[in-house]
Amino acid sequence: MLRKWLKILLVLVVAFVALAATGFQISKSRTFQFFGEIVPRVSTNQKVVALTFDDGPIPGSTEEVLSILNEGGVKATFFVTGAELEQNLDLGRKLVAAGHELGNHSFSHSRMVLKTPSFVKFEIERTDELIRQTGYQGPIHFRPPYGKKLFVLPYYLSQHSRKSIIWDVEPDSFPEVGSDAGKIVEYVLANVKPGSIILLHVMYPSRKESLKSVKGIIVGLKGRGYEFKTVSELLSLKT
Ligand SMILES: [Zn+2]
């Protein structure tokens, strides 16, 4: 009798571990989620890419990246957090005035996994409100912090007809690449395809090399015939 129960317990433990492992893999997948649309890149034959920046806006680095983009004549997409935007609404207004797109990167930058519907709702809606306070009028796409999502977040987004915008080129996620601006540029040029969505973090002092790489990425990709689009423009070119 005891052995029978031990067996059942063992099966349950194994099943639970397998489920948890599967959930973990799905939560960080770049191409699959349970509800709604997840977009790691856009399928197109045109040589177009979107340059996207996560987090912020933060004083100093925002002005710096704005001037680099302005010099290159490039419009980018900034996935801002509500908490940082609330502190720096003037920087948000500068991004919008310069013609860049703003996206929602949650309010508090928490992993949006195993969270309640009311938490998810606040994170999204409060950040949308702040984005609108900058004067931004375009569509607001969502990008989950750390690319993490499981049930509640994708369900909420799908109920509100919103896409999750991920990325397919993430040079500064690899320490050996992200620690050197030259390597970041090389990595982007080697891995980009028509319709790619490039993710960079340029806001914090620890990401100086990413900020330094932006000019090289613009020059390198333009030299290969690529045009830069905002995320919304890129989505409209889907074939
Ligand atoms: Zn982030």
Side-chain angles (χ1 to χ4, degrees):
M1 192 62 185
L2 187 63
R3 279 189 53 187
K4 188 181 161 198
W5 282 110
L6 269 175
K7 258 190 197 167
I8 290 173
L9 185 67
L10 188 67
V11 168
L12 283 176
V13 167
V14 169
F16 176 79
V17 169
L19 260 181
T22 307
F24 178 72
Q25 289 305 324
I26 288 173
S27 78
K28 61 176 192 165
S29 169
R30 304 277 181 258
T31 50
F32 174 81
Q33 64 185 15
F34 286 112
F35 310 99
E37 200 181 335
I38 183 167
V39 182
R41 64 178 279 266
V42 166
S43 115
T44 173
N45 296 322
Q46 298 181 50
K47 289 186 110 178
V48 286
V49 291
L51 197 49
T52 68
F53 299 102
D54 275 15
D55 315 327
I58 298 288
S61 43
T62 303
E63 289 92 337
E64 270 185 69
V65 74
L66 264 174
S67 105
I68 298 166
L69 294 171
N70 183 40
E71 224 170 86
V74 163
K75 300 286 183 253
T77 303
F78 290 81
F79 286 94
V80 295
T81 70
E84 286 164 315
L85 184 57
E86 196 168 41
Q87 299 292 312
N88 303 294
L89 262 180
D90 56 321
L91 291 177
R93 292 194 183 103
K94 279 187 187 165
L95 291 171
V96 174
H100 301 293
E101 178 164 332
L102 294 191
N104 183 328
H105 194 39
S106 84
F107 186 82
S108 65
H109 207 272
S110 310
R111 283 181 171 74
M112 305 278 269
V113 171
L114 308 179
K115 295 288 195 285
T116 63
S118 63
F119 178 86
V120 167
K121 181 175 185 214
F122 169 81
E123 291 278 323
I124 293 176
E125 301 303 331
R126 178 67 186 135
T127 305
D128 274 1
E129 275 171 33
L130 289 159
I131 288 175
R132 291 301 179 204
Q133 284 178 29
T134 65
Y136 178 72
Q137 292 180 340
I140 304 175
H141 299 296
F142 185 82
R143 173 174 282 168
Y146 314 99
K148 296 280 278 180
K149 73 272 161 259
L150 197 54
F151 301 115
V152 176
L153 174 67
Y155 183 73
Y156 187 87
L157 291 169
S158 74
Q159 289 298 298
H160 293 83
S161 309
R162 297 180 63 172
K163 295 179 170 67
S164 300
I165 306 296
I166 311 289
W167 53 81
D168 68 329
V169 182
E170 47 177 326
D172 62 17
S173 299
F174 310 101
E176 68 281 11
V177 177
S179 57
D180 181 293
K183 285 187 186 159
I184 296 176
V185 175
E186 255 171 53
Y187 181 95
V188 170
L189 296 180
N191 289 282
V192 87
K193 320 191 250 287
S196 275
I197 299 175
I198 304 164
L199 163 65
L200 282 175
H201 298 84
V202 296
M203 291 291 164
Y204 306 122
S206 60
R207 303 289 201 162
K208 276 278 165 260
E209 293 299 309
S210 295
L211 184 57
K212 258 168 72 184
S213 75
V214 176
K215 192 175 175 185
I217 291 173
I218 293 173
V219 171
L221 285 177
K222 283 192 167 177
R224 284 163 171 73
Y226 277 94
E227 268 182 66
F228 289 86
K229 302 286 179 191
T230 64
V231 164
S232 292
E233 289 169 342
L234 195 68
L235 289 169
S236 74
L237 295 173
K238 190 172 170 187
T239 47

